[in-house]
Amino acid sequence: MATLSLRNINKVYPNGTQAVFDFNLEIADKDFVCFVGPSGCGKSTTLRMIAGLEDISSGDLLIDGVRMNDVAPKNRDIAMCFQSYALYPHMSVYENLAFGLRLRRVDRREINHRVREASHILGLDPYLQRKPRDLSGGQQQRVALGRAIVRHARVFLMDEPLSNLDAKLRVSTRGELIKLHKRLNATTIYVTHDQIEAMTMATKIVVMKLGRIQQVGIPKEIYNHPANVFVGGFIGTPPMNFINGSVSEEGIFTTADGTRIEVPAGKFELIKEKGFINKPLFLGIRPEDIHDESEPIMFETYPNAVVDCKVKISELLGSETNIYTEVSGCSVIAAVPSRSDLTFDSDVKLVFDMNKCHFFDESSEMNLEFLDSVEK
């Protein structure tokens, strides 16, 4: 397939609005890379620059080491799948799959071979003579994917292809995309605002905000070691909790209302090394790392990280319950084993697994793990 290099890519529109800032990324052959972030963060604009549908204001795009900035979209050997399926309503599934190849004057027998191959991979064989109006949303999405597959392109670009599907169909189609990538070994760039899609599908995630890359890494790395408050709060369902406070020389994290939580030795050494003793910090901890009385061993392990709370909302989700509460005025969610006895204003004791917490500089919102130099 192909490797891609995006070097110092910027996108500035004629009215002066800048959509993408200094975008740098290396994409290896056969990678499945997800651009993820909220609406308006520049992920689709970046994808369109790779496709050649948007001009690159400055910087270089290389595919297999060849600069592509001035190469026409049709000559980049890229296949793209859009959010809207854009199927030709008057054509059958077979004709939709074959149309692009016919425009390129591919031999008729080769067209038939590629269409049959793609329809077999995607399970479309029974529908080849149907029109798009006779297909479900998931089947139409597979036809749109099939049009990309038959191209045998070096790079596949997908711009939120599952956003028009209902929740159940999105899950099943997501699974099909994962299997399809493993079968084709195609270099793929996938744009989504859904962090669950990114976590489950990608070999590499690029988290974006306001046109800038916030972090690049494998899903587990992004989840376990977020570079800043934005990444910690965006990746994860429910998102990471953040509590304001500071850490004393005695290794105690203290909030504005006097809540005291002991910091483990390893975390304390990091805070001390970075020069953040008695400086404003965010304590970040994921909901699944906050436990209740149903796990007494955690209270024995962290006796000095217990917080008394009042339940604001309790969501019973079957296997677990999400407890919404507050600590020193900061909203906190705890994902605990299933409980049906919690009601509004119930008292609950929560214990933090402090070995899994993170500390962020309140000013820069950077994770202390990612700060290169000691802050004085």
Side-chain angles (χ1 to χ4, degrees):
M1 285 294 168
T3 62
L4 288 87
S5 295
L6 291 90
R7 300 176 181 173
N8 307 112
I9 298 290
N10 291 275
K11 176 61 183 179
V12 183
Y13 289 103
N15 65 2
T17 301
Q18 186 157 358
V20 178
F21 298 78
D22 197 28
F23 191 101
N24 288 276
L25 184 66
E26 297 294 325
I27 300 174
D29 185 30
K30 303 177 184 177
D31 261 355
F32 193 119
V33 177
C34 275
F35 293 171
V36 64
S39 297
C41 71
K43 53 189 186 296
S44 290
T45 301
T46 304
L47 194 80
R48 291 172 64 84
M49 285 192 286
I50 295 171
L53 304 177
E54 294 273 5
D55 291 332
I56 296 172
S57 301
S58 64
D60 295 303
L61 167 67
L62 286 76
I63 298 179
D64 284 338
V66 179
R67 189 174 185 272
M68 306 299 288
N69 293 44
D70 302 317
V71 176
K74 64 185 179 68
N75 296 325
R76 296 190 183 194
D77 201 9
I78 284 173
M80 192 161 184
C81 185
F82 294 94
Q83 181 177 349
S84 63
Y85 312 135
L87 302 179
Y88 298 107
H90 62 289
M91 294 184 182
S92 67
V93 170
Y94 184 99
E95 291 166 338
N96 266 282
L97 294 174
F99 185 68
L101 298 178
R102 286 177 179 153
L103 288 181
R104 290 173 175 79
R105 302 185 183 279
V106 176
D107 178 75
R108 182 178 299 178
R109 283 178 296 182
E110 178 64 17
I111 291 175
N112 186 63
H113 171 72
R114 292 194 194 182
V115 169
R116 297 290 178 181
E117 179 184 47
S119 69
H120 179 69
I121 289 172
L122 296 169
L124 292 172
D125 289 344
Y127 313 110
L128 286 176
Q129 300 311 316
R130 294 190 187 182
K131 297 288 190 352
R133 64 175 177 271
D134 300 320
L135 303 176
S136 68
Q139 290 164 344
Q140 290 184 50
Q141 182 60 72
R142 279 185 277 166
V143 177
L145 288 169
R147 288 196 308 195
I149 291 171
V150 298
R151 287 277 314 280
H152 288 186
R154 290 187 293 172
V155 182
F156 287 79
L157 306 181
M158 300 186 184
D159 192 0
E160 303 201 45
L162 308 186
S163 59
N164 291 331
L165 305 181
D166 61 55
K168 185 176 180 181
L169 197 53
R170 286 180 78 157
V171 173
S172 61
T173 308
R174 195 165 69 218
E176 290 180 5
L177 282 174
I178 294 169
K179 290 188 287 186
L180 181 62
H181 177 255
K182 289 181 178 178
R183 181 164 181 171
L184 297 178
N185 282 322
T187 304
T188 303
I189 304 174
Y190 186 102
V191 162
T192 181
H193 65 272
D194 186 336
Q195 52 95 13
I196 294 177
E197 285 183 13
M199 288 292 293
T200 54
M201 298 171 67
T203 59
K204 182 186 294 181
I205 293 176
V206 180
V207 185
M208 297 183 66
K209 175 188 176 185
L210 300 177
R212 300 181 188 274
I213 293 178
Q214 301 297 303
Q215 189 171 2
V216 178
I218 62 173
K220 188 174 181 179
E221 176 187 344
I222 295 280
Y223 188 81
N224 290 332
H225 300 281
N228 55 37
V229 168
F230 174 78
V231 176
F234 190 83
I235 300 295
T237 306
M240 180 177 280
N241 300 296
F242 299 99
I243 303 169
N244 305 73
S246 61
V247 175
S248 68
E249 291 281 1
E250 292 74 35
I252 303 297
F253 178 81
T254 306
T255 66
D257 69 353
T259 300
R260 292 165 60 86
I261 300 172
E262 186 176 355
V263 179
K267 302 289 183 182
F268 178 67
E269 285 303 316
L270 174 67
I271 294 166
K272 192 173 181 180
E273 174 195 335
K274 299 297 182 180
F276 277 88
I277 298 297
N278 294 321
K279 290 189 176 181
L281 292 170
F282 290 117
L283 185 157
I285 188 164
R286 294 208 175 272
E288 63 269 26
D289 297 324
I290 303 177
H291 307 270
D292 69 347
E293 293 95 333
S294 65
E295 300 176 84
I297 191 170
M298 297 303 298
F299 286 79
E300 297 171 12
T301 305
Y302 301 101
N304 299 315
V306 178
V307 181
D308 293 311
C309 301
K310 293 280 189 182
V311 175
K312 301 299 181 185
I313 301 173
S314 174
E315 291 181 338
L316 179 60
L317 303 177
S319 62
E320 67 180 26
T321 295
N322 286 342
I323 299 172
Y324 292 75
T325 184
E326 285 186 0
V327 175
S328 188
C330 301
S331 298
V332 170
I333 306 172
V336 303
S338 182
R339 293 184 63 175
S340 58
D341 61 323
L342 297 175
T343 57
F344 175 75
D345 229 23
S346 297
D347 293 318
V348 62
K349 284 185 179 294
L350 299 175
V351 58
F352 291 10
D353 184 345
M354 291 300 290
N355 279 314
K356 294 183 179 176
C357 75
H358 299 271
F359 288 94
F360 301 82
D361 171 20
E362 189 177 286
S363 176
S364 67
E365 298 192 346
M366 288 294 295
N367 190 332
L368 298 193
E369 297 176 21
F370 288 78
L371 290 178
D372 295 326
S373 58
V374 178
E375 299 288 342
K376 298 296 184 186

